[in-house]
């Protein structure tokens, strides 16, 4: 891992990054970042006040004219330099991400950090490719073309499950398009967002383009979303909080982007490769200890394969190595906090009254007892309308249910308020294609579940929100579309004027 920096020294000046400088919050209240694997203190810092938010927005507003006037090539070059800085500091980013989240270091090293570097490189390219309708004489007498312009100061809120990647997903399309941004990370996990902002400065981005305020949602978050100088807000988190964000944002007619909860179905038809589906289900349900809005949570398995699938998944889950996130052999780390672990455990304990816990369903003891650990858990026999099937658990829990006909399987897959991601498992291309058409989700994988790529959009249907992260679709959301129209006739008294006054 290289030389691990000392977090308390790195952030001695505070956990706010405003106008190119780390500083302390002024709310008068502190928060402690805790290592969820041990319960030990990582960093105690002062939370942001509304005044801190005001200063961050003011810094972003000052930086906007210069940054938005930079050429696409200049912004692209800056982001290419940022990608290089992130790659150089990959070990530090992976260490900090695992320390604050409890992620296994192999996940941080092989997924979170390289994914963020790749996203940065992608948006460096996207900055030079502003798409618009071709200039042409659509009316016959005028030349029309489309401009894409930066919209202003963006105020975004990122969650605690993928702090680095979510910070990048918010920051990169915004600044690539010429906007400036104030990001509020989750209080639990601010470290890598702050490091990302510092890396942006090292890459030569002007002060004020990227600002971080680390504060409570009801104070700093709500003030940021409602701020009159913020023209767009992007939020990733729970559907309940997303509804509150939408309420505040719409009161000031802001552009709004929401990526909310998920309850992804994993639909296994009876002609599927059982071994592939079982391995896929274990990986897709346990990624990031299940704290992933696209994680497989509901496996619907056609009845001829159901029992064999349950048995094989249980067998594979029992081989998963739970332990120290910094051990290279660890597969599953702790949940982000003891409160989150207890929430997950509560779902499972209540499910025992109406379903079968096939494997897992316990908090490990021994040397793991001090951490926020929970064993991989498989549940069968639950009803479709039960809590564990309908509610987002956000932990290492997979529920398996049988279905009989293809119609029933697709109907069950769609039977939740959410629609973020799904997968279909079949050797039959027609069956799989039908599933991709009829499952209401923003992403549908076929014979896999979880992989994401920078070039393709991520976002949901229904209560999973609207708007896209990553891809050119995301980039477009952070631009204002302007129609410009030139008269080509040089005629003072135009024929269409006569429809308003005078005679032909």
């Amino acid at each position: 891992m290289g030389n691990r920096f000392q977090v308390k020294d790195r952030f001695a000046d505070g956990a706010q990054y405003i106008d190119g400088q780390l500083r302390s919050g002024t709310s008068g209240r502190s928060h402690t970042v805790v290592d969820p694997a041990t319960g030990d203190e990582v960093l105690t810092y002062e939370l942001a006040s509304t005044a801190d938010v005001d200063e961050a927005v003011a810094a972003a507003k000052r930086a906007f004219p210069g940054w938005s006037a930079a050429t696409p090539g200049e912004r692209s070059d800056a982001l290419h330099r940022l990608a290089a800085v992130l790659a150089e500091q990959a070990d530090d980013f992976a260490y900090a991400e695992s320390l604050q989240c409890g992620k296994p270091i192999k996940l941080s090293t092989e997924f979170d950090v390289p994914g963020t570097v790749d996203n940065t490189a992608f948006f460096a390219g996207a900055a030079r490719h502003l798409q618009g309708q071709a200039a042409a004489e659509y009316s016959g007498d005028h030349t029309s073309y489309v401009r894409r312009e930066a919209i202003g100061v963006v105020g975004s809120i990122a969650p605690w499950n993928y702090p680095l990647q979510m910070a990048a997903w918010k920051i990169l399309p915004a600044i690539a398009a010429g906007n400036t941004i104030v990001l509020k990370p989750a209080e639990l996990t601010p470290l890598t967002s702050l490091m990302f902002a510092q890396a942006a400065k090292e890459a030569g981005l002007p002060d004020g383009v990227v600002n971080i305020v680390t504060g409570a949602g009801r104070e700093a978050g709500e003030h940021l979303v409602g701020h009159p100088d913020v023209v767009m807000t992007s939020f990733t988190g729970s559907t309940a909080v997303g509804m509150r964000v939408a309420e505040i944002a719409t009161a000031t007619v802001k552009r709004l982007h929401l990526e909310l909860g998920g309850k992804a179905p994993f639909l296994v038809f009876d002609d599927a490769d059982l071994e592939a589906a079982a391995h896929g289900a274990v990986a897709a349900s346990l990624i990031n200890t299940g704290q992933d809005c696209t994680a497989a949570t509901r496996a619907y398995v056609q009845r001829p394969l159901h029992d064999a699938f349950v048995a094989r998944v249980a067998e594979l889950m029992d081989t998963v190595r739970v332990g120290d996130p910094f051990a290279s052999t660890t597969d599953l780390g702790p949940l982000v906090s003891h409160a989150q672990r207890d929430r997950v455990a509560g779902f499972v304990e209540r499910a025992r009254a109406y379903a079968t816990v096939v494997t897992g369903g316990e908090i490990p003891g021994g040397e793991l007892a001090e951490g926020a650990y929970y064993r991989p858990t498989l549940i069968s026999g639950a009803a479709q309308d039960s809590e564990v099937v309908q509610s987002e658990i956000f932990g290492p829990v997979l529920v398996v249910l049988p279905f009989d006909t293809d119609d029933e399987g697709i109907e069950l897959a769609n039977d939740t308020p959410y629609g973020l991601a799904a997968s279909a498992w079949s050797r039959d291309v027609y069956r799989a294609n039908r599933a991709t058409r009829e499952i209401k989700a923003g992403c549908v994988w076929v014979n896999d579940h979880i992989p994401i790529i920078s070039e393709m959009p991520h976002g949901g249907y229904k209560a999973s929100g609207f708007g896209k992260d990553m891809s050119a679709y995301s980039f477009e959301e952070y631009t204002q579309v302007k129609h410009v129209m030139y008269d080509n006739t040089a005629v003072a008294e135009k024929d269409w004027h006569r429809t308003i006054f005078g005679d032909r």
Side-chain angles (χ1 to χ4, degrees):
M1 282 298 298
N3 296 318
R4 296 177 180 178
F5 62 87
Q6 296 298 311
V7 172
K8 292 179 182 178
D9 293 340
R10 176 74 174 259
F11 301 108
D13 293 331
Q16 317 302 324
Y17 190 84
I18 299 173
D19 208 12
Q21 299 293 328
L22 281 174
R23 50 183 283 184
S24 184
T26 62
S27 69
R29 296 185 307 282
S30 63
H31 185 84
T32 298
V33 177
V34 173
D35 177 353
T38 62
D40 294 341
E41 175 193 349
V42 172
L43 176 72
T44 297
Y45 65 91
E46 297 299 314
L47 290 163
S49 65
T50 56
D52 298 322
V53 174
D54 289 339
E55 291 195 32
V57 172
K61 187 176 180 180
R62 287 192 300 271
F64 176 73
W67 182 245
S68 61
T71 67
E74 288 168 340
R75 292 197 295 269
S76 176
D77 288 348
L79 291 180
H80 277 302
R81 293 194 301 270
L82 175 56
V85 172
L86 295 172
E88 290 168 4
Q89 299 177 8
D91 283 355
D92 282 352
F93 274 98
Y95 167 67
E97 196 77 336
S98 288
L99 183 65
Q100 66 182 352
C101 299
K103 295 175 186 284
I105 194 64
K106 66 178 182 179
L107 182 65
S108 295
T109 302
E110 299 177 28
F111 182 72
D112 296 72
V113 175
T116 300
V117 174
D118 186 71
N119 264 271
T120 307
F122 172 82
F123 281 107
R128 304 185 78 143
H129 295 281
L130 293 170
Q131 299 296 317
Q133 195 164 1
E137 288 67 49
Y138 295 100
S139 77
D141 290 337
H142 307 81
T143 296
S144 289
Y145 68 90
V146 169
R147 288 178 55 87
R148 283 197 173 272
E149 300 177 346
I151 58 177
V153 177
V154 177
S156 294
I157 300 176
W160 49 256
N161 58 333
Y162 288 101
L164 175 59
Q165 289 207 41
M166 295 297 100
W169 287 12
K170 303 299 182 196
I171 293 169
L172 291 170
I175 66 174
N179 304 292
T180 56
I181 189 167
V182 179
L183 174 76
K184 192 197 89 67
E187 304 96 298
L188 289 172
T189 55
L191 303 183
T192 47
S193 298
L194 294 164
M195 292 167 64
F196 190 94
Q198 291 176 308
K201 182 169 184 172
E202 289 183 47
L205 275 75
D207 292 346
V209 172
V210 178
N211 305 273
I212 308 294
V213 289
T214 309
R218 289 192 178 276
E219 183 175 3
E222 292 197 1
H223 190 64
L224 176 62
V225 172
H227 199 288
D229 289 331
V230 170
V231 297
M232 174 181 174
T233 191
S234 175
F235 170 80
T236 297
S238 71
T239 298
V241 177
M243 292 171 67
R244 175 61 178 156
V245 169
E247 179 183 357
I248 298 168
T250 53
T252 50
V253 200
K254 295 189 193 316
R255 186 177 298 198
L256 184 60
H257 172 282
L258 298 174
E259 197 265 272
L260 306 177
K263 191 70 178 175
F266 188 98
L267 186 61
V268 182
F269 293 102
D270 58 13
D271 67 330
D273 182 326
L274 177 61
E275 193 68 7
H279 279 263
V282 173
S285 63
L286 300 184
I287 184 172
N288 203 34
T289 318
Q291 298 165 125
D292 186 313
C293 49
T294 63
T297 59
R298 302 177 289 138
Y300 296 101
V301 185
Q302 208 150 22
R303 206 170 293 275
L305 286 186
H306 177 270
D307 291 352
F309 178 87
V310 170
R312 185 59 176 141
V313 169
E315 183 178 41
L316 290 171
M317 278 190 171
D318 288 342
T319 70
V320 172
R321 298 162 295 185
V322 182
D324 175 10
F326 290 102
S328 61
T329 54
T330 292
D331 298 320
L332 194 79
L335 288 111
V336 74
S337 67
H338 289 77
Q340 180 65 14
R341 180 202 64 187
D342 293 345
R343 178 179 180 276
V344 171
F347 275 102
V348 177
E349 290 310 305
R350 291 190 295 275
R352 293 184 191 277
Y354 56 79
T356 300
V357 177
V358 180
T359 190
E362 62 183 18
I363 298 170
E367 61 184 17
L368 301 181
E370 297 302 315
Y373 290 94
Y374 198 77
R375 294 205 179 279
T377 301
L378 181 66
I379 295 174
S380 67
Q384 175 65 13
D385 61 356
S386 63
E387 181 187 48
V388 290
V389 175
Q390 293 294 325
S391 299
E392 189 173 29
I393 299 173
F394 230 54
V397 180
L398 177 65
V399 184
V400 184
L401 299 89
F403 70 93
D404 290 304
T405 66
D406 290 14
D407 288 350
E408 181 190 11
I410 292 172
E411 181 181 356
L412 291 170
N414 285 328
D415 184 28
T416 70
Y418 301 107
L420 186 58
S423 63
W425 297 74
S426 172
R427 292 184 173 96
D428 185 327
V429 66
Y430 298 103
R431 224 174 190 182
N433 275 340
R434 179 192 175 190
T436 64
R437 290 193 308 272
E438 296 186 14
I439 293 176
K440 304 305 180 186
C443 175
V444 182
W445 293 281
V446 176
N447 295 326
D448 209 344
H449 191 120
I450 283 298
I452 55 174
I453 49 175
S454 297
E455 292 82 0
M456 288 292 128
H458 173 88
Y461 285 32
K462 303 189 293 186
S464 291
F466 49 83
K468 300 299 179 184
D469 290 312
M470 301 194 297
S471 80
Y473 296 98
S474 169
F475 185 57
E476 291 174 0
E477 295 198 24
Y478 291 87
T479 61
Q480 185 70 264
V481 174
K482 177 186 287 184
H483 170 213
V484 177
M485 193 176 207
Y486 283 91
D487 170 58
N488 292 330
T489 66
V491 174
E493 298 182 16
K494 295 179 172 57
D495 187 58
W496 77 265
H497 294 171
R498 305 288 73 79
T499 64
I500 311 303
F501 70 99
D503 299 319
R504 283 188 173 86

